[in-house]
Amino acid sequence: MNISMKLRFWILVSIVAISGFSQGMLLPLIAIIFEQDGVSSSMNGFHATGLYLGILIASPLMEAPLRRFGYKPIILIGGFTVAISLALFPLWKSFWFWFLLRLAIGVGDHMLHFATQTWITSFSPKDRLGRNISLYGLFFGLGFAAGPLMTGLVKINTTLPFILSSAISLAAWLTVWLLKNERPEHDTDSSSFFGTMKRFGKVFKYAWVAFLPPFGYGFLEASLNGNFPVYAMRSGIGVDAVALLLPAFAIGGILSQLPLGILSDKLGRRNVLIVVTLSGFVSFTAAGLLENSTTGLLICFFLAGTLVGSTFSLGISYMADLLPKQLLPAGNLMCGIFFSFGSISGPFIGGLAIQWLKGISFFYVISTMLLLIFIALVAVRHESSSHQANTI
């Protein structure tokens, strides 16, 4: 990579880290504020889906503006939307006003992620794609892990975390102005909504198996953060243990992100995904068997994070391997859509399991999902994008 390419790459991953930071802060911060205000747990959970609903609503409408205006304007609009929405939270403390702001942050974040992801996958050479996307995932993970630290500021002033995170987002947003705009590779289909739908069909046909890891990661992350604390309380696992276990999973994912990305460049994305999903299945099955031991759970959570914490970034790299460059914008959108499906369905399915499957560990829900993804990866063998480019 030349100097300007390196600068562009590091600005893009820094922007993603700030996005992760704002998301990681909002989830526990709003949950704590609503809990203190006596908002029911179900309504609190519904509020958290606002972000993912924003992603789903915006996804089909995003490809046409990207093709028309290029990457930079989409990142600038998305980043500005997030920064302004964060600054508006202290303006009026209302359940539905905050839900709309969360929805706006979902749309802004997705604009930002979609444009940065597509830009990175388009300019990264094949032998460094896994490394670059894993750094993208690593920076998002670091930001997401740092976000909850802001919740302590609520004790000083409720508005402080929102104002501070808005200022940080705005500072990162200013660096995007340094970049030179580019556009994605031209596609023969129209850039309209219907053109996007047509491309979605092609993308799904050739790369559907690559969307299962982002779905699985969304399912896993949202159900661990949303359901596990409830399950822990009902199973006699202490609050202190929960405060230890969830960061253990996040730390495992951060530590292994780059090594697994580099390994996938050497051994192939599919091979690494097959190993990590099977190992993740084993880790969560073991967690179900060892749930009476905090030490046993800590080891299982750390190992599971190390193994499956990279499934989102590996899924993006695998998708980029399977598709020709002109379909990368639609492919990156579908990674976001499947991640959102997983994030919304995970807490819902996990909640049903906790309510109805008495005597069966919640961890088996996650291990079953990972086993199904493993089976799909083993069963399906796709051609590379170079072969498909001739048929598209």
Side-chain angles (χ1 to χ4, degrees):
M1 275 200 272
N2 59 37
I3 301 291
S4 66
M5 235 182 187
K6 277 184 178 172
L7 177 70
R8 183 207 300 165
F9 176 74
W10 290 111
I11 285 175
L12 292 178
V13 294
S14 302
I15 280 284
V16 164
I18 302 303
S19 166
F21 177 78
S22 63
Q23 283 187 36
M25 180 200 79
L26 278 181
L27 280 167
L29 179 65
I30 293 178
I32 288 165
I33 291 169
F34 280 167
E35 182 63 30
Q36 287 172 349
D37 291 352
V39 174
S40 72
S41 58
S42 58
M43 288 304 280
N44 208 331
F46 164 73
H47 206 277
T49 64
L51 192 88
Y52 308 114
L53 288 172
I55 293 172
L56 288 177
I57 291 163
S59 288
L61 311 170
M62 226 172 264
E63 193 189 7
L66 182 81
R67 289 186 180 279
R68 187 175 173 191
F69 302 111
Y71 301 108
K72 184 178 170 179
I74 302 298
I75 296 170
L76 286 170
I77 294 166
F80 191 68
T81 304
V82 171
I84 292 300
S85 299
L86 285 167
L88 289 174
F89 271 92
L91 200 66
W92 183 29
K93 192 179 179 185
S94 148
F95 184 91
W96 291 110
F97 178 64
W98 279 19
F99 184 78
L100 289 174
L101 289 178
R102 227 173 191 177
L103 206 67
I105 288 173
V107 172
D109 261 333
H110 193 44
M111 289 176 82
L112 202 144
H113 280 282
F114 164 54
T116 51
Q117 255 172 235
T118 310
W119 208 351
I120 291 169
T121 50
S122 66
F123 72 68
S124 295
K126 276 276 185 253
D127 62 335
R128 290 170 79 84
L129 178 63
R131 171 197 171 274
N132 286 356
I133 290 294
S134 65
L135 278 168
Y136 168 94
L138 173 64
F139 270 65
F140 179 80
L142 287 170
F144 197 87
L149 300 174
M150 298 285 279
T151 54
L153 297 175
V154 172
K155 291 171 188 170
I156 303 165
N157 192 318
T158 315
T159 64
L160 198 58
F162 297 112
I163 298 299
L164 206 55
S165 60
S166 175
I168 293 167
S169 298
L170 212 53
W173 176 79
L174 290 171
T175 63
V176 182
W177 290 97
L178 299 170
L179 301 178
K180 186 172 175 284
N181 191 27
E182 286 182 2
R183 285 178 173 81
E185 277 199 18
H186 185 67
D187 191 32
T188 50
D189 290 333
S190 75
S191 291
S192 67
F193 174 79
F194 296 105
T196 297
M197 288 298 122
K198 194 176 174 186
R199 273 187 290 275
F200 276 179
K202 286 180 181 176
V203 164
F204 191 78
K205 180 183 173 185
Y206 293 111
W208 66 268
V209 75
F211 304 132
L212 296 179
F215 170 85
Y217 184 73
F219 186 104
L220 179 74
E221 186 190 60
S223 56
L224 273 185
N225 286 307
N227 298 135
F228 175 61
V230 177
Y231 177 75
M233 303 291 229
R234 295 184 182 183
S235 306
I237 301 166
V239 177
D240 292 342
V242 175
L244 197 66
L245 294 168
L246 290 177
F249 178 84
I251 291 163
I254 287 166
L255 291 177
S256 66
Q257 193 85 230
L258 188 57
L260 283 176
I262 293 168
L263 203 63
S264 75
D265 284 332
K266 292 183 168 63
L267 305 178
R269 240 69 70 184
R270 177 174 171 269
N271 296 333
V272 173
L273 277 165
I274 283 170
V275 172
V276 299
T277 48
L278 179 63
S279 308
F281 160 73
V282 172
S283 298
F284 278 109
T285 303
L289 298 169
L290 298 169
E291 63 179 36
N292 293 325
S293 160
T294 304
T295 309
L297 278 179
L298 188 66
I299 293 165
C300 290
F301 265 61
F302 179 73
L303 284 175
T306 307
L307 296 158
V308 294
S310 303
T311 43
F312 183 74
S313 53
L314 286 170
I316 293 170
S317 307
Y318 188 28
M319 173 276 300
D321 287 343
L322 296 175
L323 295 174
K325 281 200 171 180
Q326 70 267 26
L327 288 180
L328 283 180
N332 277 290
L333 275 177
M334 289 198 78
C335 280
I337 289 169
F338 272 77
F339 171 76
S340 299
F341 282 149
S343 300
I344 291 168
S345 63
F348 177 69
I349 292 168
L352 286 177
I354 292 168
Q355 196 171 336
W356 298 107
L357 303 177
K358 304 292 183 197
I360 296 173
S361 176
F362 155 73
F363 297 116
Y364 297 152
V365 174
I366 294 172
S367 66
T368 304
M369 182 269 303
L370 288 169
L371 181 64
L372 292 172
I373 294 173
F374 162 76
I375 291 166
L377 286 163
V378 170
V380 179
R381 201 178 185 98
H382 278 285
E383 293 177 340
S384 70
S385 58
S386 54
H387 291 130
Q388 288 173 16
N390 301 323
T391 63
I392 292 172

